[in-house]
Amino acid sequence: MTLETVLLTAAALIGVGVYGAMSQQVVVMVMMGIELAVAGVLLALGGLWWFTSPDVSLQTLGLVVLAAMTVEMATGFAVATLLHRRDGTDMTDMAAGLHE
């Protein structure tokens, strides 16, 4: 595996994630697109760290960010579930109560 392969894979993840977030209206699908894009950024950063300076301490930072991203995703799913239970909707256009 080369750095170019890792960066191309990361670019594909970012592209698919941005397309998914921009083209969907369901809250869960928008969150999944954003998470996919963030995972692509993390893959690119991890690949750059691995191939330029294989220092383990910098890669640990990537794992911490990945853990924080997981908590953020769980929080997002909790908000989507609450929105669905309270208003019976899962579309972003119908979620007017989120800003209140």
Side-chain angles (χ1 to χ4, degrees), residues 34-94:
I34 292 170
E35 291 296 321
L36 200 58
V38 171
V41 170
L42 282 176
L43 179 64
L45 289 176
L48 285 173
W49 284 334
W50 177 261
F51 286 103
T52 57
S53 65
D55 185 16
V56 179
S57 63
L58 291 177
Q59 295 168 5
T60 304
L61 177 64
L63 290 175
V64 169
V65 171
L66 184 65
M69 189 174 78
T70 303
V71 170
E72 179 263 334
M73 189 68 175
T75 305
F77 277 120
V79 169
T81 302
L82 176 69
L83 182 67
H84 179 68
R85 286 183 181 169
R86 189 185 68 188
D87 298 336
T89 184
D90 59 350
M91 306 290 282
T92 55
D93 293 341
M94 297 177 192

Side-chain angles (χ1 to χ4, degrees), residues 13-44:
L13 283 174
I14 293 169
V16 169
V18 168
Y19 176 74
M22 298 298 286
S23 66
Q24 298 292 321
Q25 290 185 342
V26 178
V27 174
V28 175
M29 295 300 288
V30 170
M31 288 186 333
M32 289 177 65
I34 292 170
E35 291 296 321
L36 200 58
V38 171
V41 170
L42 282 176
L43 179 64

